[in-house]
Amino acid sequence: MAAEMTESRHTSLWLDDTEATHYPTLQGDRVFDVAVIGGGITGLTAALLLAREGQSVCLLDQGVIAMGTSGHTTAKVTSQHHLTYARIRVSHGKDGAATYGAAMEAAKERVASFVDEGINCDFRRRPAYVYATRPGERALLEREAQAAQEAGLPATMDDEVPLPFDTRGGMRFDNQVEIHARRYLLGLADRFVRAGGEIFEHTRAVHVDESGGCVVHTDGQGRVEAEHVVVATLMPFLDRGGHFARAFPSRSYVLTARVQAGLPDAMLISAAPPMYSIRSVPYRGEELLMVLGQNHHLGSPKASPERFEKVAQFARQHWDVTSFEHRWSAQDYSSDDGVPYIGRLNIRSKRIQVATGFKKWGMTSGTLAGMLITDAIVGRDNPWASMFSSTRVKPLAEAPRFLAENGRVGVRFVADRILARGQRDIAELDIGEAGIVSCNGQKVAGYRDEEGRLHAVSSRCTHLGCQVAWNDAERSWDCPCHGSRFDPDGQILNGPATKPLDPRPTTPTP
Ligand SMILES: Cc1cc2nc3c(=O)[nH]c(=O)nc-3n(C[C@H](O)[C@H](O)[C@H](O)COP(=O)(O)OP(=O)(O)OC[C@H]3O[C@@H](n4cnc5c(N)ncnc54)[C@H](O)[C@@H]3O)c2cc1C
Ligand code: FES
């Protein structure tokens, strides 16, 4: 009988395999040199490096650390970012591609150095491949390999790749790295605290004032005064930098599986759609297959459990799968020109640093962000900073994506107000069903849970007012405009929103 994807645990392998953290919440007003907001790989790297520079540093997270996208990654630490170098050579020139490559290699080795300090996180060096399955894709890879070589990277073309199915060869980077994401991150957190840093969990930042110094305001837990603030929240929740209009969210679906044979001893990703990313992963004394696929823009009706099934079908098609062990989905943002935004919030800001747009390569890009932000705060010149500057303007490189993505958001914004007026009544929802429905004469986002209870919240995202859409794969309300996500009761799962969706009464109001 074929292994069933639905029998897997609906959690990331990294979370399943590590202890929960229990850092305190912020109490009252505190003063630090630097306040870091966000406890993923970006925030934890920046916090640790800054603490080691002698700064007094605190790190705030709205939930718990290492549970955002960094706790749901596939944890390939590589300078091979799919097909990147040929594109950057066109948009930023040969020197730009060389800078990008040198910076990502340095970030990978920064991770290796932290691990060398004694972080037990299944670190291993392996080659990374982008593989071709159709004849035309081979030419793409050859062009990419040449651009990567010219950028100083260890790129070669191979006719064979370590996969149990036929391919048209692949582009190989040697000496790349795999880790256990959460053990690595908890190792950084531990070292940060030993270096004198303080972590506050369940402490949401809602606003940062910048005049002279900075003040971070939280959602009722007190304030932090700091000389500098690092916003490492995947997408900055401060709109003053306009990043929500320059970086765009997409989700991906990941499975782990126990297979009979044919586990790859390399990291692999397909060159062309449908895109699959593959690695093997140690888990409690055995080795599992990990496959990611089904990337899509955020927003219904694309987020559905069938996407997990499609990734499972790919795994079954190529491996003899005995069982599926984990399934999860997560999101990341891509910048307009394919280069992360790292640096000042905007051209007037001197004390607020941000980082976003890692296009699902944040294990290296987030580490790099921690390194560049640390240099900026301690006043050290960094030759790579201008390439990644968050305030850069590259009209030719950025315009096509900027126009396409913001056009999509604009259409969504208008269409949602005309269509989907919530003609069904909330009472008509079946068990497990959700929709934009009417309730007490109002349009609401409604959901009937497995116990039959109704949940109703405002259908307008609290960020900039787009209509949320149901994500049936994760049972959440997702905003298709800039990626905020909320649980069925409106509580925030992902920013940039900093306020929950307003609850609506589900019983008739007098
Ligand atoms: C499915 C998937 C697979 C991936 N695989 C790879 C891979 O193999 N290799 C690779 O290099 N990259 C990969 N990536 C990308 C990489 O995982 C991310 O780019 C990276 O983890 C982002 O880290 P971060 O620290 O910036 O954000 P996060 O890890 O999301 O951390 C942000 C933190 O900020 C907190 N926060 C948010 N808002 C607030 C607020 N207002 N106040 C306080 N706290 C707040 C959140 O709770 C969260 O803990 C993948 C991404 C996805 C989606
Ligand atoms: S995330 Fe911006 S409007 Fe919803």
Side-chain angles (χ1 to χ4, degrees), residues 144-157:
E144 175 70 6
Q146 193 189 345
Q149 279 163 7
E150 285 173 16
L153 290 151
T156 48
M157 286 299 296

Side-chain angles (χ1 to χ4, degrees), residues 244 461-466 479-484 486 495-497:
F244 65 86
C461 172
T462 54
H463 178 228
L464 294 179
C466 286
C479 178
C481 288
H482 315 114
S484 294
F486 306 86

